[in-house]
């Protein structure tokens, strides 16, 4: 087990910067996720840790060992890093059986056949694959192939487990099951996990900490709770959770409360820091848009444009002046299309 | 409500009426279409090949196995069979070995000049094999340049290398066929999922270990498939064993069949030639089965289409030696035969040493302006090379459309019938065409005309556009044309506006894949030509047989220049998408 430390890691391809000055310390046994849209540099970063990519600048440590730096002499090739990795395509070798795939790392280490067999059986049992030992990959389902890839990554007791979108090729139901299985597995064996995904709910469910990335940079690093409730910028807010972005005009600031004009009404927003400009953007989650038939303290008049019913909740399109907000409420409080109502915002964030 | 029901009822009646009328019309049109397809298949494939079977397994109209028995009881025939297999085995081993190593070097390593080598290494496949054989004669015949150099260097009395016979045929055939392996393995390397190898690295395997444990085993089915193609190609080749084998009496099945056909005095010569063709077809059919088996194994080698920048292996200290090695290969295998042809073509008289004072352009002048057959041959070959691809492309569209979009009975058979010539060598197709048309059929006589050559070309080359066009059809979801129909286009309009534009790339590459071999075809033409209907291939071959070495060189050089230039232009124009294989 080991921590992973990235210091000012930069990777450039010609003029294109894939990763820019990225620093993080991932603790021993942590489940850490790199989250971002495709092309944000998350996979590049993971492959720097794996050793498939040489960093242009910066340093990568695994445990207390420097494995990568701009100075070529310190480069440790992937086969010497003692890592486990699960690829998006699984990369289960088609010409080897399940046993052959899972046992391969031990064969490289020249363990005796008996030890290899004992170890492989143990891992296959852990992953519920005992019956498939002699099968070839094309005789397995996607989920089974994925577990073979996981078994191959785990068998050598890696210091760190790297997971590159391992669930993205599974169907929706299996994907949700595997989230919990992975999480549980990590609780059991305590390995450090670096996880790459573009799926925010996957990241939220499994991670201890998340780095939200965009354009090669970390926009915010924090626990799922921090990232959801206190997004540091508009990108993070829009990437995680369902949010409304409303532009408004600051008309007054009193005792840490901003009075912001939206449409024809003025709402009060508690602000941690004083907004530096007059025209601002307010972010509010869909479920934090509170609707009522009567005027409540701090609410402004609005109109229901569209009402949809999802079984356990209602989704409304609410018109305020010429902007439309999405509101999500529990079932039981229903408003009709065209109805004039009142609206107020819970936990809004000012950008 | 009542009104609604009434409208519905009316609509239903109207649609019934409409369906009934157009259904009858459509049924008539559909059966005409089916008939057309059947006639085309019959003329091109079914009739000639049944004729071959009938003549091979019958005498004077009664079925018998005597032809086959007579063939198999003659030692010279068994020797020809053995030569065919023996040569094919060696050619396959050499071609696979060279093709795989070269493909690996130019795709997976950082060898110097790899982008240059990558294209240059295809060239031997672009040069017509009989010209390649002729060029190697210039180098390695008893009076060839290499032999002279070696004799001079070591003070030998006799030429050390003899191009005629098995070794010459093997070397020249291997040079012609290694690009088949090289191109297909290059593509497989590029398509191979790079994470297979990365997963092995992470598992602790070093670079060499990864090649041994992962790269080679994963590539094995592709290599096996390519090997089968080389084996079948080599066993059905005619030009090379004709030029390098016949003079010494070293015969393989194709040249033996060729001689049987030509020996008009012999009784039952066509029956025996047909029976002998069965041996050659057997090799092709076995090859087809083996390939099917091998590619079925490929199913488990999940080679993905995602080629996201696989790791390039750093050759380190071997970077220069590897480049030098490929350079020498290119020099020996590609540059030297072309250089030999250039030198011979500008020499004043055979045997003169290559000095500036001995050079002349007279050979070109003579070939181009004093031999009328050359112009005739150019005209015939270019005509065939333009018409045949157009027809095959057109027929491929019709056949593929019929297979995929209609419910004509037996439509699945079309593909099998059209693919048959893959297992049937050119010599055998030529023989079938002779048998089919030697007497007028239903009052139509095309024997000794250009038409028989054209039909034979179409039958032989049909498979190329069939492959490219059906591949592009496969990428088109039926919903695309359905959307056009819903938008108001008739079936014909949907085909013209949606299907044709989408299969255009398949059409272009299919056309070109036929154009090139049709331009320089020899195997069929040599069997089917008559005075006035010579093709370029026939003319070059006949000139070599007449011993006109200087003139043949000049003509060959012109042909090589034309072929390479056209390939280069098409490659450029298509952005590298249209390649010769």
């Amino acid at each position: 087990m080991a921590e992973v430390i990235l210091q000012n890691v930069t990777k450039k391809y010609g003029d294109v910067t894939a990763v820019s000055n990225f620093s993080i310390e991932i603790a021993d046994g942590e489940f850490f996720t790199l989250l971002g849209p495709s092309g944000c540099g998350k996979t590049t970063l993971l492959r720097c840790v794996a050793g498939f990519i040489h960093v242009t600048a910066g340093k990568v440590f695994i445990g207390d060992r420097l494995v990568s730096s701009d100075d070529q002499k310190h480069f440790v090739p992937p086969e010497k890093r003692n890592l486990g990795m699960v690829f998006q395509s699984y990369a289960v070798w088609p010409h080897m059986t399940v046993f052959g795939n899972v046992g391969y790392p031990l064969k490289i280490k020249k363990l005796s056949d008996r030890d290899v067999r004992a170890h492989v059986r143990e891992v296959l049992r852990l992953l519920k694959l005992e019956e498939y030992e002699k099968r070839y990959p094309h005789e397995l389902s996607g989920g089974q192939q994925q577990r073979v890839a996981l078994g191959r990554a785990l068998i050598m007791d890696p210091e760190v487990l790297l997971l590159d979108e391992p669930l993205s090729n599974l169907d929706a139901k299996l994907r949700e099951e595997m989230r919990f299985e992975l999480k549980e597995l990590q609780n059991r064996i305590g390995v450090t996990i670096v996880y790459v995904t573009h799926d925010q709910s996957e990241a939220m469910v499994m991670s201890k900490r998340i780095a939200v990335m965009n354009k090669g940079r970390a926009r915010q690093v924090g626990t799922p709770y921090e990232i959801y409730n206190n997004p540091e910028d508009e990108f993070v807010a829009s990437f995680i959770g369902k949010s409304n972005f409303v532009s408004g005009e600051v008309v007054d600031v009193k005792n840490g409360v901003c009075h912001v004009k939206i449409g024809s009404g003025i709402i009060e927003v508690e602000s941690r820091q004083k907004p530096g400009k007059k025209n601002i953007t307010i972010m509010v989650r869909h479920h934090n848009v509170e609707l009522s038939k009567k005027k409540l303290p701090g609410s402004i008049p609005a109109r229901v444009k569209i009402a949809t019913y999802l079984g356990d909740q209602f989704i409304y399109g609410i018109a305020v002046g010429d902007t439309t907000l999405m509101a999500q409420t529990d079932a039981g409080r229903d408003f009709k299309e065209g109805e004039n109502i009142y609206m107020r915002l819970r936990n809004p964030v000012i950008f | 409500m009542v009104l609604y029901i009434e409208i519905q009822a009316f609509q239903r009646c109207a649609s019934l009426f409409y369906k009934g009328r157009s259904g009858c019309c459509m049924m008539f049109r559909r059966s005409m279409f089916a008939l057309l397809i059947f006639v085309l298949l019959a003329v091109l494939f079914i009739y000639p090949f049944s004729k071959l079977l009938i003549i091979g397994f019958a005498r004077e109209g009664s079925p018998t196995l005597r032809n086959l028995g007579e063939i198999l009881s003659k030692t010279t025939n068994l020797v020809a069979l053995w030569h065919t297999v023996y040569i094919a085995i060696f050619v396959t081993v050499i071609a696979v070995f060279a093709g795989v190593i070269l493909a690996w070097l130019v795709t997976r390593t950082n060898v110097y000049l790899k982008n240059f080598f990558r294209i240059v290494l295809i060239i031997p496949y672009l040069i017509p094999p009989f010209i390649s054989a002729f060029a190697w004669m210039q180098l390695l015949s008893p009076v060839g340049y290499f032999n002279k150099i070696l004799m001079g260097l070591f003070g030998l009395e006799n030429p050390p290398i003899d191009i005629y016979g098995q070794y010459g045929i093997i070397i020249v055939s291997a040079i012609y066929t290694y690009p088949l392996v090289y191109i297909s393995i290059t593509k497989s390397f590029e398509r191979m999922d790079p994470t297979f190898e990365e997963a092995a690295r992470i598992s602790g395997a070093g670079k060499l270990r990864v090649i041994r444990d992962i790269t080679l085993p994963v590539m094995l089915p592709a290599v096996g498939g390519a090997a089968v193609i080389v084996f079948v190609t080599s066993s059905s080749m005619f030009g090379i064993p004709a030029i390098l084998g016949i003079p010494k009496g070293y015969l393989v099945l194709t040249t033996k069949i060729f001689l049987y056909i030509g020996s008009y005095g012999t009784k039952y010569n066509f029956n025996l030639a047909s029976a002998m063709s069965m041996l050659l077809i057997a090799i092709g059919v076995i090859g087809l089965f083996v390939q099917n088996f091998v590619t079925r194994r490929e199913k488990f080698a999940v080679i993905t289409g995602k080629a996201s920048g696989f790791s390039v292996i750093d050759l380190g200290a071997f970077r220069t030696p590897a480049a030098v090695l490929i350079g020498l290969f290119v020099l020996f295998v590609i540059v030297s035969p072309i250089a030999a042809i250039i030198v011979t073509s500008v020499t004043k008289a055979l045997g003169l040493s290559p000095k500036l004072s001995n050079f002349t352009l007279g050979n070109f002048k003579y070939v181009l302006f004093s031999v009328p057959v050359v112009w005739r041959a150019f005209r015939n070959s270019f005509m065939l090379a333009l018409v045949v691809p157009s027809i095959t492309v057109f027929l491929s569209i019709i056949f593929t459309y019929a297979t995929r979009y209609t419910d004509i009975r037996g439509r699945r058979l079309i593909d099998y019938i059209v693919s048959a010539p893959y297992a049937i060598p050119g010599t055998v197709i030529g023989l079938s065409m002779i048998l089919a048309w030697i007497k007028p059929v239903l009052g139509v006589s095309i024997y000794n005309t250009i038409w028989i050559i054209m039909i034979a070309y179409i039958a032989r080359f049909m498979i190329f556009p069939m492959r490219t066009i059906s591949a592009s059809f496969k990428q088109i979801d039926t919903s695309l044309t359905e959307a056009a129909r819903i938008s108001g286009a008739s079936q014909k309009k949907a085909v013209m506006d949606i299907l044709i534009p989408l299969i255009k790339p398949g059409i272009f590459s299919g056309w070109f894949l036929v154009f090139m071999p049709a331009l320089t075809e020899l195997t069929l033409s040599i069997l089917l030509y008559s005075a006035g209907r010579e093709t370029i291939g026939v003319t070059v071959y006949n000139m070599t047989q007449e011993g006109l070495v200087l003139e043949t060189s000049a003509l060959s050089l012109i042909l090589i220049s034309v072929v390479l230039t056209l390939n280069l232009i098409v490659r450029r124009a298509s952005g590298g998408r249209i390649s010769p294989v």
Side-chain angles (χ1 to χ4, degrees):
Chain A
M1 308 304 131
E3 62 267 27
V4 176
I5 298 164
L6 304 176
Q7 286 176 355
N8 308 99
V9 170
T10 298
K11 177 65 194 174
K12 285 184 183 167
Y13 294 101
D15 293 338
V16 183
T17 306
V19 174
S20 172
N21 204 17
F22 192 99
S23 297
I24 192 75
E25 290 190 15
I26 300 169
D28 186 8
E30 184 173 0
F31 196 124
F32 188 86
T33 298
L34 298 167
L35 173 68
S38 62
C40 72
K42 56 191 193 296
T43 297
T44 307
L45 209 51
L46 191 76
R47 292 166 66 80
C48 287
V49 176
F52 295 124
I53 293 177
H54 293 250
V55 298
T56 311
K59 289 186 170 71
V60 179
F61 294 89
I62 295 173
D64 44 15
R65 191 157 62 131
L66 176 61
V67 293
S68 225
S69 70
D70 38 7
D71 168 16
Q72 287 293 318
K73 267 177 286 178
H74 290 126
F75 183 75
V76 178
E79 64 267 28
K80 300 264 162 63
R81 293 194 179 189
N82 194 25
L83 301 170
M85 184 160 177
V86 176
F87 297 83
Q88 187 175 7
S89 61
Y90 314 141
V92 177
W93 299 307
H95 60 294
M96 294 185 191
T97 59
V98 169
F99 186 94
N101 267 283
V102 176
Y104 186 75
L106 300 182
K107 229 178 90 191
I108 299 272
K109 282 189 177 162
K110 299 202 169 73
L111 260 68
S112 74
D113 281 358
R114 248 186 67 203
D115 288 353
V116 172
R117 205 171 307 125
H119 256 82
V120 172
R121 295 256 158 85
E122 191 190 316
V123 170
L124 292 182
R125 198 165 40 244
L126 180 76
L127 295 168
K128 302 186 193 83
L129 283 169
E130 303 109 301
E131 307 151 49
Y132 304 103
E133 195 183 299
K134 292 197 177 67
R135 298 257 188 111
Y136 279 93
H138 73 286
E139 298 167 317
L140 300 177
S141 69
Q144 288 162 344
Q145 289 188 31
Q146 205 258 358
R147 292 214 293 277
V148 173
L150 194 58
R152 184 177 64 194
L154 287 174
I155 197 155
M156 48 187 178
D157 284 324
E159 294 184 52
V160 179
L161 188 57
L162 308 177
L163 303 173
D164 184 7
E165 308 225 11
L167 305 184
S168 64
N169 282 340
L170 300 178
D171 61 59
K173 191 165 166 283
L174 200 55
R175 196 156 53 215
E176 300 224 345
E177 281 174 25
M178 283 306 293
R179 286 178 190 170
F180 290 103
E181 268 189 50
L182 270 178
K183 182 88 183 150
E184 198 203 18
L185 191 78
Q186 199 223 5
N187 287 343
R188 223 176 328 161
I189 58 179
V191 66
T192 310
I193 290 182
V194 184
Y195 193 96
V196 160
T197 185
H198 64 271
D199 182 329
Q200 48 130 335
S201 54
E202 221 169 271
M204 300 287 285
V205 168
M206 293 193 285
S207 320
K208 187 158 175 233
R209 275 193 306 159
I210 298 171
V212 183
M213 291 183 68
N214 190 32
K215 293 179 184 161
R217 291 174 187 281
R219 306 302 287 258
Q220 187 173 1
V221 179
T223 63
Y225 186 88
E226 285 164 0
I227 284 181
Y228 189 82
N229 290 297
N230 296 310
E232 272 171 21
D233 63 15
E234 276 188 72
F235 175 79
V236 176
S238 67
F239 198 75
I240 310 252
K242 295 169 183 160
S243 319
N244 294 298
F245 293 90
V246 191
S247 41
E249 198 183 309
V250 180
V251 285
D252 195 12
V253 185
K254 255 186 243 158
N255 311 327
V257 176
C258 286
H259 295 253
V260 183
K261 191 174 172 226
I262 301 173
S264 54
I266 289 177
I267 58 160
E268 292 170 10
V269 180
E270 267 188 59
S271 172
R272 276 163 295 157
Q273 72 266 39
K274 216 170 152 180
K277 50 193 179 182
K278 206 170 171 212
N279 292 312
I280 53 157
T281 301
I282 295 170
M283 187 283 285
V284 63
R285 303 287 182 193
H286 289 183
H287 65 87
N288 281 339
V289 178
E290 196 183 336
L291 307 178
S292 58
K293 302 212 177 196
K294 284 181 224 141
K295 179 152 175 57
L296 297 173
S299 68
I300 56 172
R303 198 170 60 84
V304 179
K305 250 169 96 176
I306 293 165
T308 58
Y309 175 57
L310 290 182
D312 54 347
Q313 55 189 242
F314 286 96
I315 308 281
Y316 295 105
I318 305 295
V320 182
D322 43 13
T323 53
T324 302
L325 281 79
M326 301 302 288
Q328 180 187 326
T329 67
D330 292 340
R333 309 206 57 185
D334 82 278
F335 303 92
K336 297 202 167 42
E337 285 181 13
E339 198 176 338
N340 287 314
I341 54 160
Y342 293 91
M343 171 198 85
R344 66 180 178 187
L345 309 180
R346 279 193 302 251
N347 301 328
V349 180
I350 295 178
F351 296 122
Chain B
M1 195 64 195
V2 175
L3 185 74
Y4 172 72
I5 291 170
E6 262 182 13
I7 289 173
Q8 244 196 351
F10 174 75
Q11 276 176 344
R12 204 171 300 150
C13 280
S15 79
L16 262 178
F17 172 72
Y18 182 71
K19 220 188 241 165
R21 207 183 48 159
S22 77
C24 162
C25 176
M26 250 163 76
M27 231 151 78
F28 175 70
R29 263 204 272 156
R30 189 180 301 164
S31 50
M32 284 309 288
F33 187 54
L35 186 69
L36 173 78
I37 285 174
F38 178 76
V39 168
L40 286 170
L41 291 175
V43 171
L44 289 171
F45 304 100
I46 302 170
Y47 171 59
F49 295 147
S50 351
K51 199 84 185 177
L52 180 81
L53 281 175
I54 292 166
I55 305 250
F57 290 106
R59 274 187 189 183
E60 272 111 26
S62 47
T64 173
L65 285 175
R66 266 172 64 195
N67 302 320
L68 205 58
E70 227 167 275
I71 286 291
L72 290 175
S73 64
K74 261 198 190 161
T75 328
T76 53
N77 294 332
L78 295 177
V79 168
L81 174 62
W82 164 239
H83 284 170
T84 304
V85 175
Y86 171 85
I87 282 178
I89 289 173
F90 276 94
V91 169
T92 307
V93 170
I94 298 171
V96 166
F97 200 67
V100 170
I101 290 178
L102 291 169
W104 182 76
L105 282 170
V106 300
T107 50
R108 304 304 310 273
T109 72
N110 62 346
V111 68
Y112 286 111
L113 291 174
K114 65 192 238 178
N115 289 330
F116 169 73
F117 286 140
R118 207 188 171 107
I119 295 167
V120 166
L121 285 169
I122 301 172
I123 289 177
Y125 187 71
L126 304 179
I127 297 172
F130 57 93
I131 288 185
S132 185
F134 173 75
W136 280 95
M137 265 168 62
Q138 304 310 304
L139 291 168
L140 293 174
S141 79
V143 292
Y145 298 112
F146 278 167
N147 269 327
K148 278 188 185 161
I149 292 170
L150 288 173
M151 282 159 77
L153 272 179
F154 301 105
L156 302 171
E157 301 261 308
N158 295 310
I161 306 170
D162 184 8
I163 182 92
Y164 296 106
Q166 49 181 336
Y167 299 117
I169 299 176
I170 289 173
I171 290 172
V172 180
S173 304
I175 290 172
Y176 175 65
T177 49
Y178 87 82
L180 290 172
V181 181
Y182 165 79
I183 292 166
S184 101
I185 299 303
T186 305
K187 282 181 188 157
S188 304
F189 268 133
E190 281 168 353
R191 275 205 317 256
M192 189 177 141
D193 186 341
T195 56
F196 284 153
E197 291 170 315
E198 289 173 0
R201 291 294 297 281
I202 277 287
S203 301
K207 287 179 193 172
L208 288 176
R209 186 85 196 248
V210 171
I211 294 175
R212 199 191 80 191
D213 287 354
I214 311 297
T215 319
L216 285 180
V218 167
M219 293 297 289
L220 206 57
V223 174
V228 173
I229 291 175
V230 171
F231 190 91
V232 173
T233 308
S234 155
S235 64
S236 58
M237 265 193 309
F238 171 76
I240 295 170
I243 288 177
L244 300 178
I246 293 179
K248 206 189 176 187
Y250 188 94
L251 299 179
V252 294
L253 285 176
T254 50
T255 47
K256 191 86 189 170
I257 293 170
F258 173 70
L259 294 179
Y260 261 112
I261 298 171
S263 56
Y264 291 104
T266 326
K267 216 180 173 198
Y268 300 124
N269 69 322
F270 281 147
N271 301 72
L272 294 175
S274 306
M276 198 144 182
S277 301
M278 301 306 156
L279 301 180
L280 211 42
I281 292 177
I283 294 178
V285 170
I286 292 169
L288 210 60
F289 272 109
V290 173
Q291 205 204 9
N292 252 343
F293 174 73
V294 169
T295 42
R296 203 166 326 123
R297 276 169 58 91
E298 196 168 19
K299 228 179 228 167
F300 83 76
V302 213
I303 289 182
T304 63
K306 194 180 135 200
S308 51
F310 45 70
S311 54
V312 164
I313 291 170
D314 185 0
L315 289 176
F318 292 102
R319 235 182 137 184
T320 313
V324 169
L325 214 66
I326 306 180
L328 285 176
F329 181 88
V330 169
L331 194 68
F332 181 70
V333 161
I334 302 168
V335 176
S336 69
I338 296 178
I341 285 198
I342 295 176
V343 170
T344 310
S345 69
V346 295
T347 305
K348 273 181 188 154
L350 205 56
L352 289 179
S353 58
K355 273 189 298 193
L356 209 57
S357 59
N358 290 334
F359 287 165
T360 171
L361 287 177
N363 297 324
F364 291 95
K365 218 171 110 188
Y366 176 76
V367 187
L368 287 177
F369 300 109
S370 309
V371 196
V373 68
V374 168
W375 276 116
R376 209 156 63 215
F378 265 108
R379 203 188 56 216
N380 286 336
S381 282
F382 267 102
M383 190 277 284
L384 286 167
L386 292 174
V387 173
V388 169
S390 312
I391 295 178
T392 52
V393 161
F394 182 67
L395 293 182
S396 299
I397 295 173
I398 293 182
F399 289 158
T400 315
Y401 182 82
T403 316
R404 285 185 66 85
Y405 291 94
T406 67
D407 47 6
I408 294 171
R409 233 184 295 159
R411 64 188 181 282
R412 305 257 164 254
L413 284 176
I414 298 173
D415 200 45
Y416 288 104
I417 295 170
V418 175
S419 312
Y422 172 83
I424 302 178
T427 309
V428 179
I429 296 177
L431 172 62
S432 313
M433 292 297 164
I434 294 176
L435 300 175
W437 299 102
I438 195 156
K439 287 177 197 146
V441 179
L442 305 172
V444 182
S445 175
I446 60 167
Y447 194 66
N448 278 349
T449 68
I450 199 88
W451 301 106
I452 189 169
I453 301 181
M454 191 180 288
I455 290 180
Y457 278 20
I458 294 171
R460 185 174 188 200
F461 297 132
M462 200 58 219
I463 185 141
F464 297 132
M466 266 308 263
R467 290 256 168 90
T468 60
I469 288 172
S470 73
S472 32
F473 261 105
K474 252 175 227 155
Q475 290 163 359
I476 300 169
D477 197 273
T478 45
S479 65
L480 293 179
T481 43
E482 283 163 6
R485 296 297 295 282
I486 287 291
S487 311
S490 66
Q491 178 141 6
K492 206 169 112 199
K493 188 123 181 73
V495 169
M496 295 309 289
D497 290 351
I498 311 296
L499 273 188
I500 299 286
L502 286 173
I503 57 171
K504 239 187 214 159
I507 291 177
F508 285 139
S509 61
W511 195 93
F512 186 69
L513 284 180
V514 179
F515 173 83
M516 282 328 292
L519 186 63
T520 57
E521 211 282 337
L522 170 69
T523 316
L524 295 167
S525 336
I526 195 77
L527 289 169
L528 301 171
Y529 85 98
S530 47
R533 285 99 196 172
E534 300 89 353
T535 63
I536 301 178
V538 167
T539 307
V540 173
Y541 181 79
N542 284 344
M543 280 166 69
T544 63
Q545 298 306 296
E546 288 161 28
L548 302 168
V549 177
L550 300 174
E551 296 79 356
T552 313
S553 295
L555 189 52
S556 299
L557 188 61
I558 296 172
L559 211 47
I560 291 177
S561 317
V562 169
V563 166
L564 292 185
T565 312
L566 285 174
N567 266 294
L568 200 69
I569 292 172
V570 170
R571 207 189 156 77
R572 279 278 159 80
S574 69
R577 264 168 313 176
I578 299 182
S579 69
V581 176

